[in-house]
Amino acid sequence: MGTGSLGGAAPLARRVLAELMGTAALVAAVVGSGIQASALSGDTGVRLLANSLASAVALGLLIAQLGPVSGGHLNPVVTLCAWWSRRRAGVRVPAREVALYLAAQPVGAVAGALLAEAMFGRAPGGAGWSWATRERADAHLLLGETVATAGLVLLIVALERLGRARFAPLAVAAYIGAAIWFTSSGSFANPAATVGRSLTDSFTGIAPGSLPGFVAAQSLGALLGAALAGLLYGAGSPAAGRATGAAGAGGPVPEGIGGGVAAGAGGIAGGAAAGASGVAAGAGGIAGGAAGGPGAVAGGVAGGPVPGVASRGPGTA
């Protein structure tokens, strides 16, 4: 069994810092946008629209930014999913690394929630601050949270197994933005963020007493999502998925949920350049054939494929 990491190419200390800061930024965006939306509108639908849009955009940007550094997990569920995938592929991730990721994320979430509160004049200990009072313990809410987390895990595993990790920033952000609307729980789908949101008595808060049920639902959802992924995609290794992505992008795909963005862009650019070269070569051949007569045109066509047109350029495979 080989040794690997949870994602990213940076030293462990930098990766753990990225997870802490990224989770803090994510929760600050979720909580802050909820407070701002409540201040600007009394319509619950408008509030939810503003909050879901800000949350999804922030999540996608953070994954794209931090994916090459730490893998851009920002979520204990994602970290455990990455650890399990690598373990099944015969890659051992040091227990210390997993523990540091899992510790950094809730610390970041708490810091992000308190930062959002402070930005809106509700500093902890002040007159405007209190623990969350919104109870979220009903069975239908726990079912919604199970579904939201299962869908997130299924999506992440699918992207990795299919070699499409480069689409993770957009795909994961789009899924969370949609799940906020189609699940009864509002799609927390993140135990660390759930803990952080217990520190804000606002639109996105959750009462501390509701934490155990929500975290249990998220854990169940993660197991369910992993099981569904196994049924749909088999026991393929993440290494195989990354190799497929590398072949399609014309280069190695960085590890992590946000990996492959730069490689994918480079591959598309390479493919476009190769295609343009082939079109120019084809145009030259036709012009030469026209000057030499119909026989030359026929000879040029029969002579073989046009470079860059009959064969796909890098990044288009």
Side-chain angles (χ1 to χ4, degrees):
M1 179 179 289
T3 301
S5 71
L6 289 170
L12 179 58
R14 191 180 302 170
R15 285 186 279 136
V16 172
L17 179 61
E19 286 296 306
L20 189 152
M21 293 180 62
T23 310
L26 174 61
V27 175
V30 172
V31 173
S33 62
I35 296 173
Q36 183 76 291
S38 297
L40 296 177
S41 175
D43 188 309
T44 303
V46 173
R47 293 178 181 178
L48 187 61
L49 179 62
N51 179 242
S52 61
L53 180 61
S55 300
V57 170
L59 177 59
L61 292 174
L62 286 168
I63 293 172
Q65 180 182 4
L66 299 176
V69 180
S70 68
H73 297 182
L74 318 180
N75 185 340
V77 166
V78 177
T79 295
L80 292 174
C81 180
W83 167 77
W84 180 247
S85 295
R86 283 155 178 73
R87 181 181 176 85
R88 292 193 64 176
V91 178
R92 186 183 68 83
V93 177
R96 177 171 175 267
E97 180 175 336
V98 178
L100 287 173
Y101 267 55
L102 295 178
Q105 291 157 352
V107 170
V110 168
L114 295 179
L115 174 61
E117 289 283 301
M119 285 193 295
F120 287 91
R122 298 153 52 119
W129 181 86
S130 72
W131 291 88
T133 57
R134 183 172 180 179
E135 297 288 340
R136 299 177 187 261
D138 293 340
H140 70 279
L141 298 179
L142 300 181
L143 175 60
E145 192 63 11
T146 301
V147 170
T149 311
L152 175 63
V153 171
L154 179 59
L155 173 62
I156 291 171
V157 175
L159 290 172
E160 190 171 28
R161 295 280 174 84
L162 299 176
R164 295 179 178 175
R166 63 187 179 278
F167 298 122
L170 177 61
V172 174
Y175 172 79
I176 291 298
I180 288 174
W181 282 90
F182 75 71
T183 61
S184 57
S185 66
S187 183
F188 286 44
N190 184 333
T194 304
V195 171
R197 289 165 68 166
S198 69
L199 296 167
T200 174
D201 192 21
S202 63
F203 183 70
T204 58
I206 176 173
S210 299
L211 288 180
F214 250 55
V215 173
Q218 291 160 353
S219 301
L220 177 60
L223 293 174
L224 180 60
L228 290 174
L231 291 174
L232 287 173
Y233 304 107
S237 70
R242 288 194 296 272
T244 303
V253 179
E255 289 186 1
I257 185 174
V261 177
I268 293 172
S277 173
V279 170
I286 293 173
V297 174
V301 173
V306 178
V309 174
S311 62
R312 291 174 289 182
T316 61

